[in-house]
Structure formats: C-alpha cells, structure tokens
Amino acid sequence: MLHRKVIIAIADGIGDRPIAELDDKTPLEYADTPNLDRVASAGINGMMDPIAPGIPVGTDMGHLILFGYEPQDYPGRGPIEALGVGMEVQPGDIVLRCNYATVDSSGIVLDRRAGRIREGTDRIAETISGIEIDGVTFYLKSATEHRAVLVLRGTGLSDRIGDSDPKAPNDGSPYHKVKPLDDSDEAKRTAAVLNRFLQEAHRLLSRHPVNEARVQRGEKPANFILTRGVGRMTELTPISERLNIRGSCIAGESTVLGVAKLAGFKPVTDSRMTANMDTDIELKAELALRELADCDLVLVHMKAPDLKGHDNEPLEKAKAVELFDRLVGLLLRDMPEDAYLALAADHSTPCEVGEHSGEPVPIAICGPGIRKDRVLHYNECDGGYGGLGRLSGMDFVRTLHDLMGRVKKKGN
Amino acid sequence: MLHRKVIIAIADGIGDRPIAELDDKTPLEYADTPNLDRVASAGINGMMDPIAPGIPVGTDMGHLILFGYEPQDYPGRGPIEALGVGMEVQPGDIVLRCNYATVDSSGIVLDRRAGRIREGTDRIAETISGIEIDGVTFYLKSATEHRAVLVLRGTGLSDRIGDSDPKAPNDGSPYHKVKPLDDSDEAKRTAAVLNRFLQEAHRLLSRHPVNEARVQRGEKPANFILTRGVGRMTELTPISERLNIRGSCIAGESTVLGVAKLAGFKPVTDSRMTANMDTDIELKAELALRELADCDLVLVHMKAPDLKGHDNEPLEKAKAVELFDRLVGLLLRDMPEDAYLALAADHSTPCEVGEHSGEPVPIAICGPGIRKDRVLHYNECDGGYGGLGRLSGMDFVRTLHDLMGRVKKKGN
C-alpha cells in the first residue's frame, strides 16, 4: 500500500457571509489570499458540513470530527477540557468545566468570574482537590484566569446532572443547586455528592488565605465554584491507533489540544501561540513541518478568524484570514513533495451572527496525484464548484485518510 | 407504470489519478473515448462512491452494490466464489477460498500454488469432496489453476475462524492451524472439524495418483489445502425478485458471475471473455444486446482497466479504456431506443497505488427522457460537474431502478 502524509491547516470559524462593508464579499473573499488560492488552484475543492447541512457545532465537536471521530463519540466538553489542561482522566470519570466565582452569604452570584482572578488559583485548587465524599474523589485543576476543571471519580456516577452556573451576567441570580436530570439513582447520587462538595469548597474557600488577601485589596474573592459542560469520559480507541499512524497537533488553544490528546495525537504548543492575532505563525509552520518528519498526520490550528467572527469585526476577520494565508504560504514553501496539504475549518462563525452557524466551510486538498478540478479560489462560493462536492466532515476526513493509504478495504 | 430497460457497462477499476507520463491526465482523460463522451454528452453525469467517500471496496463488494445490494448484505468472498464456480450453496453454509499447495513433512509451505498446478485438479477434488466429519460435510470444487472453493455444511457452524493460509510468499512459513476467532462453541467446533478435514485431505492427497505422477515428473505435489476468505452464506432475497425483473450479466470473471448468481441474474460467460485485454468485445456487446431482448437489466463487465491499474501501467490502462470505449460504441449502435445505457465502475484502481482506492468513479446515464446536463466528457474531473452530483453506489443504482419504473412509491 502507498502510504503518504498529510498536513491539515485549520482556520477556526473561517466560514462567513457576504457583508455590505466588505463590498458584499465574505471576509475570506475580501482578504488577499494568494497562498490559499494556490492550494485551491492546484488541488481539489469542496464544501464541508461538520455533521450535516444546517447543524452548527462547537469548537470541540468540530475538531473531534476533523481528528477523525464521529459525532456520537463526543464525550462532552468537560473531558476534552480536562485533557486540554493536562489532567489525567479515566473512562467513567464525570468531568465539568468550572468558573471560580464570587457569591454573597445568600448565594447570589456577585461575579461569575471572581474579578477575572489570575493569581493564586493553583493554591486554591490545591486546597480542595482530592476531597472524598461518599466514595467519590474530586480532583480540581485551575486553567487560565478564573477557569478550572473538576473531575469526579467513583462508582455509580452519571453525567445526567444540571449546572450550578446560572450563566446569567451577574444579574442578581443565585447559583443553582445541581439537579439530577433523570430519575436514575446514579444521577441523584451524582447531584447529591457534587452539591456536598460545592458547599465544602465554599466553606474552605471563604477563609482561604488567597481570598482573604483579595478581600483586603478590595478584590472579589473566589469563594464558589460554578459548574457547567458536564461530560462522562468514554472508552474511545485513539484515532492514531485505529489508523496505525502517528499524529501531531500544533495549537495554542486548550480545547483543540484536548481533542488532540483524546485522538492520540501529540499536542505541541508554546506560549507564543496565543490563540489570537499575535500568534506566532512562523513558529507554527516550523513546528508543523518538523512534526511531519516523524508523523503521518499533522493538524495545525489558528484561532483568530473565529474570535473576530464572534466579535462581529469583518475587517479584522479578513486580516485574520490573511494571517492564515501567510501560515499556509510558509507550509507550501517547505512541504515535502509526496505529502498532501489540506485546508479546512471546524465551522462557520458569521460576523453578523456572532456565533457558530450551520453553514458549510470550504475545503481544499493539494498534493501528489490529486484529481485537480477547475476551482481557482478558496472561499465559500467557489468551493461549491469543486470536484469534492459537498461532504460531511467524516467523509472529508476519511478522504484524507484514504489518500494516506490508511482506510481498510471493504470486501475483497 | 412505465417500465424501461437498462444496460450498465462496467469498467472495473477505471477511476485513476492524473499521471505525469500521460501529460498530467488520468488514463480515462488521456484515452480516445468518443463513445464514452457520446454517452456523457447525451446524458446526465456524476461521481459515485461505492459506499461512501474514502472507503475502498473490493471487486466483490463493488459489484454487490452495482447489482443492487447494500454493503451490510455482503456474505464474504467465499460464498461469492462458490457461486462463481457453479457450486450450489445454501444459507448457513460456511465457504472458503482455497489454494492447492505443496507442504513438506513438517508443515512448511514450499509453494502456495503447488507449482501453479493446472491438470488433474478435478480428480483431486473428487477424491476428497463429500468427506463427512462430526456431522459436517465438506464439498470441494476446483477452479482455475491452483484455486478451489470449500463448502462446510452442517449445524452449529460459524464463520469466525482464521485462515490456514499463511499468505507469506513461500518464505519458509508453516501452514496455520485454523483458530476460532471468538469464544463461541460454534467457532471452536468449526475450527476443529476444519483442521481434521485438512489433515485427512493431506493424508489422501499425499498418496494421490495425480500427485505421484507430478513428483515423478519433478513437479510439486498439491498435497495441502490452504484456506482463506471465509464467509457464511446468508439468506438474501435475489435482487431480481425484489424488483420483479429479469436480469442478466455478461462477464468473464468468476467473482462478478458469483455476485450475479447471488442477485438472481443469469450469468452469461464464454471462454473468449478472458477478463484481460484479449477479451472479445464484439461477443460481449452481441450477448448484452441479445440478453436485453429477454431481460430488464443487463450488466456487462470488462476487467482489463483494473488489471492495468494493479500493474501500474498507465498507457496500457488507457488502451484498456479505449477497448471499453469500443464496447460501448457497439452497444450504442444497436441499443433499443426506449432503453437506457449507463456507464459505471466498481471502484478506482489508481496506477500509482496499484490497489483499489476510496476515490469516486464517474457515472453517466443516457436514454429516453433523461435530464441532460452540460457535461461533454466521461472522466474523473468532468463527472464532478454533472447533474447527478456525487452519489453513493446505492443511490446511483436506485436511480437506475427508478428510471426502469421498479422502485416502490413511499407514501401514497
């Protein structure tokens, strides 16, 4: 079998809509993208729906699919975040995303982000991580700023529970008591032990030295843990194992790195990859090409286009696209001749929506023996005239795995 | 209901990739194909994935789908080969492909093909076919050269067993003892009786007159049976019965003829159909048109493009395509006016891969009332711009059955 290598360059949320202020072009059409167009011209193009037409996906789900899983493999955001921040998680663990928050004595949430606390969160986590209640051990790890991840490990647990996070923007809502979402004993038990843990954490945090110092400085104490994004870690065969390949992922964002670990890909990151406009694309390109020497499949991720879509900044989004174009130019310059370069995105984030939409994203593949089509530009319109047609994310990724010579034949 | 007839002309493995030595064209683009282009120009075109994008299929699976089955109907290669060589098989039978081989007294495989034995294999099969062990009857039938098919008939049998064929190219490996592949009593029993049969066959073949004569002539004796490709014959409703049609298949290859029998199609073959470049296309065209007089659906198969893809011979593959073009020209000349002619393939076999790939194949349909599109050429690029779009094999074949007026309305 002919085995070949692939780099997938992922522009998070790149898909958009025509915008009046950009002469009725999408940010991708408006931007100057000679390198993306080189890939389109030399390659085969199409449009990709991560799951199916009209279904918006989160960054975690979008990447789960780009790494080679199917939507039903999704373990929930919690487990992915846990892996992303370097926690060890086991099948069966219940995992939640958390915010350190400030609540008053009656439980009203005064600040969902505890004044965007930056310092001392590791000491806070240390104090309460490892607590055991009724046979369930709680592990807490702090992430960036006010964020943290909570793992519940024990028997008889369920992910069918609600959030303690009211998610309202500090409007005087109290935190929620965690409720079971079904009638099972497991859901009831999980909600009960988690509520006991949250109370115990509140008691310990209220008198924690980090918080006492904050209050003295007039800052908001991190005296409560708001939970959301619950998931149950599933038993998933890593994609690297399924395909018998070595994979690597270059990214600055913990969610993407979390999916990479789940998939058995080597997570490669650096503080110079900022998940924003000031990310170091030279470093990303260099690492992607270096990883490709040892690996079969490398994903290199850029977050900026998504951020500018969420912020409804079309011109800034076009600039983010040009940054992605330069990254792709660096890759093209030094790609090995017998490897494929693919362009993809996890989803669309139209500026006027400010959120992910279910519109498809353009895809392109260039490399040895590719069935070149007539498309000359990489964008949301031209992609519709490409030789790949309109594919689901699973079909697109399997197409790449097939070009790599890694998909088993059905029949004989 | 308007009932119409269809001929599907199948070019095995015709799909390929652009090749430098063919001016960066695929063999199909490079070849002179006025007749294929006539069908494309007069008809509607598209690209077909036998199962789904990026999934390579074997010839057996590819044809199973072209005859109208779904991938999950696949009974394994064994049963298809049995039907192809004219054995009678029943639902529940366990069927294996075999090689006559030469082993030494310690079980080392000296030649996986017993010196490509050609003569006397029917007498060998006669000697050991019909043996009964523990309520299981073994039927063996010789096919071309060193090939044979073995049927196990009895109760409590399973297809979850391994091969006795080590498949290594005569590198000093011993034959394998057949192992059960799961813990079921059925798998254990099947492996046990098959091992006893193989030993008994070895004992009988070692002193068989055909082999004694071979040894005297300095040739390798066919003293062992290597098994592989196990399958369990399933209870499948023939496609002809499902659609209430009469079908026929013109082919030189036993695998395709086996699928035809499974589907309830009349197998039509002749020694002048060689499954290679010297196949008699006049005869194929004549028989296809003659069969169409009595049938509703005729499949006519040409093997040569696949062979040239496996051998990585692009120019020869282009010649095989031109042979297919001439066959289609003969069909076009005498097609009844009210019948459809469809062009299809079972899978791609890119020369540079030398194996089946998961890339789609071009399809075209011309005939009465067809929704003509703007495509002028039958090839891997133009097909992507056709009115059929990108279809699965099941969708393509159902489209033909619908043009025949044979698909039941859903709802009322």
Side-chain angles (χ1 to χ4, degrees):
Chain A
M1 201 63 205
L2 183 62
H3 287 157
R4 281 179 172 153
K5 299 182 175 196
V6 170
I7 292 182
I8 313 180
I10 300 168
D12 204 305
I14 201 172
D16 213 301
R17 299 174 182 175
I19 297 166
E21 122 185 47
L22 303 183
D23 307 333
D24 283 324
K25 293 178 176 169
T26 69
L28 179 52
E29 288 172 318
Y30 185 85
D32 183 31
T33 56
N35 296 302
L36 304 185
D37 293 346
R38 263 177 70 197
V39 177
S41 304
I44 189 163
N45 298 265
M47 296 301 289
M48 182 197 92
D49 300 286
I51 297 179
I55 301 181
V57 299
T59 295
D60 52 1
M61 179 67 90
H63 280 87
L64 197 81
I65 291 164
L66 288 173
F67 274 92
Y69 285 110
E70 301 193 359
Q72 58 267 32
D73 295 327
Y74 182 64
R77 180 66 169 256
I80 290 170
E81 290 301 317
L83 291 166
V85 302
M87 286 180 97
E88 182 246 352
V89 282
Q90 299 174 1
D93 284 354
I94 305 298
V95 193
L96 305 102
R97 301 176 75 191
C98 306
N99 274 13
Y100 295 119
T102 310
V103 302
D104 71 11
S105 57
S106 63
I108 301 295
V109 178
L110 300 176
D111 188 338
R112 277 188 70 237
R113 300 187 177 92
R116 287 197 180 267
I117 182 170
R118 281 174 175 274
E119 279 161 26
T121 52
D122 283 345
R123 285 171 60 204
I124 284 179
E126 222 168 71
T127 303
I128 49 182
S129 188
I131 288 178
E132 199 186 310
I133 298 173
D134 197 14
V136 178
T137 312
F138 292 77
Y139 299 96
L140 185 74
K141 180 162 180 177
S142 295
T144 52
E145 299 184 349
H146 54 278
R147 300 180 191 89
V149 178
L150 179 65
V151 172
L152 282 65
R153 185 168 300 157
T155 54
L157 296 176
S158 164
D159 59 352
R160 299 286 301 142
I161 57 167
D163 300 334
S164 67
D165 190 345
K167 289 182 185 159
N170 311 330
D171 62 353
S173 301
Y175 66 78
H176 292 171
K177 204 179 147 185
V178 176
K179 289 190 187 118
L181 295 183
D182 63 31
D183 272 345
S184 68
D185 289 343
E186 289 78 12
K188 288 178 194 157
R189 162 173 154 79
T190 309
V193 292
L194 179 53
N195 282 319
R196 282 174 59 195
F197 169 79
L198 294 179
Q199 286 312 315
E200 176 65 8
H202 180 47
R203 196 180 62 80
L204 292 168
L205 291 181
S206 298
R207 61 185 190 198
H208 196 281
V210 166
N211 280 326
E212 282 173 352
R214 286 180 70 79
V215 171
Q216 273 194 343
R217 290 197 302 271
E219 295 169 355
K220 289 174 184 153
N223 64 4
F224 201 82
I225 296 171
L226 297 178
T227 59
R228 66 185 192 283
V230 62
R232 182 195 188 85
M233 182 63 182
T234 45
E235 188 99 56
L236 277 180
T237 308
I239 296 296
S240 56
E241 199 176 302
R242 282 193 204 170
L243 299 179
N244 192 27
I245 59 163
R246 294 176 70 172
S248 182
C249 173
I250 324 292
E253 208 204 8
S254 65
T255 308
V256 175
L257 294 167
V259 181
K261 283 189 198 167
L262 193 71
F265 282 50
K266 176 181 163 193
V268 178
T269 192
D270 187 289
S271 59
R272 284 172 285 170
M273 303 177 192
T274 62
N276 211 321
M277 292 293 278
D278 56 354
T279 195
D280 188 335
I281 57 163
E282 282 80 13
L283 178 66
K284 278 192 179 174
E286 185 193 323
L287 288 174
L289 291 162
R290 192 190 298 167
E291 287 297 314
L292 193 68
D294 292 329
C295 290
D296 304 290
L297 179 54
V298 174
L299 276 71
V300 52
H301 174 257
M302 178 181 284
K303 186 70 180 172
D306 181 58
L307 298 180
K308 302 307 174 185
H310 279 286
D311 293 347
N312 188 13
E313 295 184 328
L315 264 172
E316 283 296 306
K317 187 164 178 182
K319 283 184 200 162
V321 169
E322 289 175 354
L323 196 64
F324 180 64
D325 180 77
R326 293 218 306 279
L327 168 61
V328 169
L330 294 171
L331 294 173
L332 280 174
R333 197 184 59 190
D334 293 322
M335 280 290 288
E337 264 191 20
D338 61 344
Y340 296 98
L341 177 62
L343 307 181
D346 51 349
H347 53 71
S348 294
T349 309
C351 285
E352 68 166 13
V353 183
E355 245 303 343
H356 307 179
S357 80
E359 289 152 300
V361 296
I363 47 174
I365 313 170
C366 70
I370 206 77
R371 290 179 175 178
K372 192 166 127 41
D373 59 25
R374 298 182 190 129
V375 172
L376 302 176
H377 302 285
Y378 179 73
N379 61 49
E380 299 89 340
C381 175
D382 288 84
Y385 296 87
L388 288 171
R390 185 166 180 170
L391 298 181
S392 73
M394 289 78 79
D395 286 343
F396 168 61
V397 172
R398 199 189 309 108
T399 295
L400 292 173
H401 294 168
D402 179 54
L403 288 171
M404 294 170 68
R406 300 290 180 174
V407 182
K408 275 202 192 119
K409 190 162 67 172
K410 302 266 183 190
N412 214 300
Chain B
M1 198 65 205
L2 183 62
H3 286 158
R4 280 180 171 151
K5 298 183 175 196
V6 170
I7 293 182
I8 312 180
I10 300 168
D12 204 304
I14 201 171
D16 213 299
R17 299 176 180 174
I19 297 166
E21 119 184 48
L22 303 183
D23 308 333
D24 283 323
K25 293 177 176 171
T26 68
L28 179 51
E29 288 173 319
Y30 184 85
D32 183 30
T33 56
N35 296 301
L36 304 184
D37 293 346
R38 263 178 69 199
V39 177
S41 303
I44 189 164
N45 299 264
M47 295 301 288
M48 182 197 91
D49 300 286
I51 297 179
I55 300 182
V57 300
T59 295
D60 51 3
M61 179 67 90
H63 280 87
L64 198 81
I65 291 164
L66 288 173
F67 274 91
Y69 285 110
E70 301 193 1
Q72 56 268 33
D73 296 328
Y74 182 65
R77 181 65 170 256
I80 290 170
E81 290 300 317
L83 291 165
V85 302
M87 286 179 98
E88 181 246 352
V89 282
Q90 299 174 2
D93 284 354
I94 304 299
V95 193
L96 304 104
R97 302 176 74 191
C98 306
N99 273 14
Y100 295 119
T102 310
V103 304
D104 70 12
S105 58
S106 63
I108 301 295
V109 178
L110 300 176
D111 190 336
R112 276 188 72 238
R113 300 185 178 94
R116 287 196 180 269
I117 182 170
R118 280 173 176 274
E119 279 161 29
T121 52
D122 283 344
R123 284 171 59 203
I124 284 179
E126 223 168 71
T127 304
I128 49 182
S129 188
I131 288 177
E132 199 186 312
I133 298 172
D134 198 14
V136 179
T137 311
F138 292 79
Y139 300 97
L140 185 74
K141 182 162 178 178
S142 295
T144 52
E145 299 184 347
H146 54 278
R147 300 180 192 87
V149 179
L150 179 64
V151 172
L152 282 65
R153 185 169 299 154
T155 54
L157 296 177
S158 164
D159 60 353
R160 299 285 302 141
I161 57 167
D163 300 334
S164 67
D165 190 345
K167 288 181 183 159
N170 311 330
D171 62 354
S173 300
Y175 67 80
H176 292 171
K177 205 178 150 187
V178 175
K179 289 190 186 118
L181 295 183
D182 63 31
D183 272 343
S184 68
D185 289 342
E186 288 78 10
K188 287 177 195 159
R189 163 173 155 79
T190 309
V193 293
L194 179 53
N195 282 319
R196 282 175 59 194
F197 168 79
L198 294 179
Q199 286 312 315
E200 177 64 8
H202 179 47
R203 196 181 62 81
L204 292 168
L205 292 181
S206 298
R207 61 184 190 199
H208 196 281
V210 166
N211 281 326
E212 282 173 352
R214 287 180 70 78
V215 171
Q216 274 193 343
R217 290 196 302 270
E219 293 169 356
K220 289 174 182 153
N223 64 6
F224 201 82
I225 296 172
L226 297 177
T227 59
R228 67 185 192 280
V230 63
R232 182 194 188 85
M233 183 62 183
T234 45
E235 188 100 55
L236 279 179
T237 309
I239 296 296
S240 56
E241 198 175 303
R242 283 193 204 169
L243 299 178
N244 191 26
I245 59 164
R246 293 176 69 171
S248 182
C249 172
I250 324 293
E253 208 203 9
S254 65
T255 308
V256 175
L257 294 166
V259 181
K261 283 189 198 168
L262 195 71
F265 283 49
K266 176 181 162 193
V268 178
T269 192
D270 188 288
S271 59
R272 283 172 286 169
M273 303 178 192
T274 61
N276 210 321
M277 292 292 278
D278 55 354
T279 195
D280 187 336
I281 57 164
E282 283 80 13
L283 177 65
K284 278 192 180 174
E286 185 193 323
L287 288 174
L289 291 161
R290 191 190 300 166
E291 288 298 314
L292 194 68
D294 292 329
C295 290
D296 304 289
L297 178 55
V298 174
L299 276 71
V300 52
H301 174 257
M302 178 181 284
K303 186 70 179 174
D306 181 58
L307 299 180
K308 301 306 175 186
H310 279 287
D311 293 346
N312 189 12
E313 295 184 330
L315 265 171
E316 284 296 306
K317 187 164 178 183
K319 282 184 200 162
V321 170
E322 290 175 353
L323 197 64
F324 181 65
D325 180 77
R326 294 217 305 279
L327 168 61
V328 169
L330 294 171
L331 294 172
L332 280 173
R333 196 184 60 191
D334 293 322
M335 280 289 288
E337 265 190 20
D338 63 342
Y340 296 97
L341 177 61
L343 307 181
D346 51 348
H347 54 71
S348 294
T349 309
C351 285
E352 68 166 13
V353 182
E355 245 301 342
H356 306 178
S357 81
E359 288 153 302
V361 296
I363 46 173
I365 313 170
C366 71
I370 205 75
R371 294 180 176 178
K372 193 166 128 41
D373 60 26
R374 298 186 187 126
V375 172
L376 301 176
H377 302 284
Y378 179 73
N379 62 49
E380 299 89 343
C381 177
D382 288 85
Y385 294 86
L388 287 172
R390 185 167 181 171
L391 298 180
S392 72
M394 290 78 81
D395 286 344
F396 168 61
V397 172
R398 200 188 312 105
T399 296
L400 293 173
H401 294 168
D402 179 53
L403 288 170
M404 295 170 67
R406 300 290 179 174
V407 182
K408 275 200 194 124
K409 190 161 67 175
K410 300 268 181 187
N412 217 297

